[in-house]
Amino acid sequence: MKFGNKFRTVAVVAIASLALAAGCGGGGDGGGEAAPGAEASAPAEDANLAITFLPKNLGNPYFDVSAKGGEAAVKEFGGTFAEVGPAEATPDAQVSYINTLTQQQVGAIVISANDKQAVCDALTEARDAGVKVVTFDSDTNPDCRDLYVNQATAEGIAKVQIDMIAEQIGDSGEIAILSASANATNQNAWIELMKKELANHPNIKLVDTVYGNDKDQESFDKTAALLQSHPELKGIISPTTVGIAAAARYLSTSKAKGKVALTGLGTPNQMREYVKDGTVKEFALWNPEDLGYLSAFAAKAIITGEIKGDEGDKFTAGKLGEKSVGADKTVLLGDPFKFNKDNIDQFDF
Ligand code: RAM
């Protein structure tokens, strides 16, 4: 296995934060060190609560915020938190990290998958070695993980975005989608359902779907290209926080500002200036910090055996209260939330 410099740097940071957590977390037995090979049925005090988050990529503010929530939760229950991840949002890059975490015998990997199948062999090896696997944000196929923590239903996420664009363009005209990477499970599920939802809007025509790979510059360039190739474009939906922020930055200084509507999924801190300068009217999201927090508690509940992941299982997720497992071993955070100029200043993430 080969590890890039990036991995080494991140691993060092992760180890440093493990040491920090052990030093000041207070609550973990034996300074919070992971107990290798802990079983699901192990009594809670012997459980291996070393929980590592593996986002699609590092350097994405959305995942920085979800990691913050994860870390807060892990501190609360006295485990050890770490985050590792690739620079590029690709499944291959995630596989090396999964293999390393398996060798390190962490208690759980909490992953947002760049592909629903390509990371599965590595995750299955991890599970065979006793590591619990919780997906969050972007799922794998259900048989590759113990639990999926879903931010909001895919139907709800698709509908809120179509509702917003329909309202913003008078329910008529050409639209395009600026997505993240072409294999991302969450993006593809939402795009599929948005297409279905468009059946209720016969005058809106989806003319293109492009991919900025959750890279700022690539998303910016793809926005410029969309406007060039579709001069009649009325609106863009970007269901990715990286994409919508880059598209807003492009539009804000272009002739299309205020003429081509932009909506999708963004973080309030990245979108604030574009809502205030009139580039964007309204967009949606959930609270990524809560998503990370819930995912960490879900991982703990699986590690300790508090839940098995069966439908109807219940566990306590700290300040979020009691949560239950639904169909397909899925736990739901809540509903998407819409941000606009009237409420955006009430949020800081
Ligand atoms: C980006 C990622 C993530 C998605 C959000 C909305 O940060 O693509 O997977 O859930 O946007």
Side-chain angles (χ1 to χ4, degrees):
M1 241 178 308
K2 42 184 176 44
F3 305 114
N5 283 337
K6 191 93 188 180
F7 179 86
R8 278 188 221 108
T9 315
V10 173
V12 170
V13 173
I15 289 162
S17 51
L18 283 183
L20 268 179
C24 57
D29 259 354
E33 270 304 309
E39 296 294 323
S41 54
E45 65 271 17
D46 294 338
N48 176 0
L49 295 179
I51 295 175
T52 300
F53 274 51
L54 176 48
K56 284 179 172 175
N57 56 349
L58 294 182
N60 174 346
Y62 171 86
F63 289 117
D64 292 345
V65 180
S66 57
K68 192 173 149 202
E71 184 167 17
V74 173
K75 274 203 179 129
E76 230 173 279
F77 56 71
T80 50
F81 171 86
E83 185 191 33
V84 295
E88 308 258 311
T90 66
D92 288 355
Q94 283 185 314
V95 166
S96 325
Y97 291 94
I98 297 167
N99 292 338
T100 304
L101 294 171
T102 305
Q103 282 167 4
Q104 293 172 342
Q105 285 276 295
V106 295
I109 299 172
V110 179
I111 176 175
S112 170
N114 281 318
D115 184 296
K116 62 181 176 184
Q117 189 56 41
V119 291
C120 277
D121 286 349
L123 290 178
T124 303
E125 276 179 37
R127 293 172 75 201
D128 288 347
V131 175
K132 299 298 176 192
V133 172
V134 173
T135 52
F136 79 111
D137 179 65
S138 184
D139 198 11
T140 55
N141 284 326
D143 53 353
C144 314
R145 41 76 169 163
D146 294 290
L147 206 64
Y148 169 49
V149 182
N150 191 3
Q151 49 271 55
T153 65
E155 289 77 10
I157 295 172
K159 184 166 184 320
V160 76
Q161 294 180 88
I162 296 298
D163 285 352
M164 289 187 297
I165 201 76
E167 192 183 323
Q168 293 173 26
I169 66 171
D171 211 10
S172 169
E174 293 185 358
I175 63 164
I177 293 176
L178 168 65
S179 179
S181 59
N183 286 342
T185 323
N186 56 349
Q187 297 282 321
N188 289 341
W190 302 335
I191 291 170
E192 232 11 78
L193 290 163
M194 286 197 278
K195 286 181 179 164
K196 282 198 183 143
E197 187 62 32
L198 279 176
N200 299 322
H201 301 268
N203 297 325
I204 299 182
K205 188 164 173 233
L206 176 63
V207 292
D208 216 343
T209 299
V210 297
Y211 300 89
N213 285 312
D214 269 352
K215 289 188 188 151
D216 175 71
Q217 190 60 43
E218 204 171 324
S219 308
F220 185 90
D221 295 343
K222 290 282 164 74
T223 307
L226 268 181
L227 293 176
Q228 268 211 329
S229 28
H230 304 285
E232 298 301 316
L233 202 65
K234 286 282 232 29
I236 299 173
I237 299 177
S238 187
T240 140
T241 57
V242 179
I244 193 173
R249 196 170 82 253
Y250 181 84
L251 286 177
S252 67
T253 60
S254 91
K255 284 192 312 241
K257 178 181 170 189
K259 295 196 185 97
V260 174
L262 170 65
T263 191
L265 305 175
T267 66
N269 286 355
Q270 284 178 289
M271 298 303 291
R272 192 174 332 273
E273 67 176 286
Y274 307 114
V275 168
K276 295 206 166 167
D277 77 5
T279 306
V280 171
K281 278 212 175 72
E282 193 168 54
F283 63 95
L285 200 70
W286 42 91
N287 187 333
E289 192 167 342
D290 286 349
L291 181 64
Y293 184 90
L294 174 57
S295 304
F297 267 98
K300 171 190 170 248
I302 284 281
I303 293 170
T304 59
E306 186 183 349
I307 58 170
K308 293 263 175 286
D310 296 332
E311 193 166 353
D313 279 358
K314 290 188 187 342
F315 65 101
T316 308
K319 64 175 186 194
L320 297 177
E322 191 179 78
K323 289 280 171 183
S324 49
V325 180
D328 291 329
K329 296 179 183 286
T330 294
V331 177
L332 187 64
L333 177 66
D335 293 318
F337 184 88
K338 292 198 259 185
F339 302 90
N340 52 43
K341 69 173 176 8
D342 297 331
N343 66 13
I344 196 158
D345 280 339
Q346 295 161 25
F347 300 93
D348 185 15
F349 63 84

